[in-house]
Coordinates of all heavy atoms in Angstrom, one line a residue:
A13 N 87.7 93.4 103.5 CA 86.8 93.0 102.4 C 86.3 91.6 102.4 O 86.9 90.8 103.2 CB 87.6 93.2 101.0
L46 N 94.9 84.7 92.7 CA 95.5 84.1 91.5 C 96.9 83.6 91.7 O 97.4 82.8 90.9 CB 95.5 85.1 90.4 CG 94.1 85.7 89.9 CD1 94.3 86.8 88.9 CD2 93.3 84.6 89.4
Q88 N 94.2 95.8 111.1 CA 94.6 95.0 110.0 C 96.1 95.1 109.7 O 96.6 96.0 109.1 CB 93.8 95.3 108.7 CG 94.1 94.3 107.6 CD 93.3 94.6 106.3 OE1 93.2 95.7 105.9 NE2 92.8 93.5 105.7
E230 N 59.1 103.3 93.0 CA 58.1 104.1 93.9 C 58.0 103.4 95.2 O 57.8 104.1 96.2 CB 56.8 104.2 93.2 CG 55.8 105.0 94.0 CD 54.5 105.2 93.2 OE1 54.3 104.6 92.1 OE2 53.6 105.9 93.8
G252 N 72.5 88.7 82.7 CA 71.7 89.2 83.8 C 72.2 90.6 84.3 O 73.1 91.2 83.9

Side-chain angles (χ1 to χ4, degrees):
L46 299 175
Q88 187 179 44
E230 185 175 3

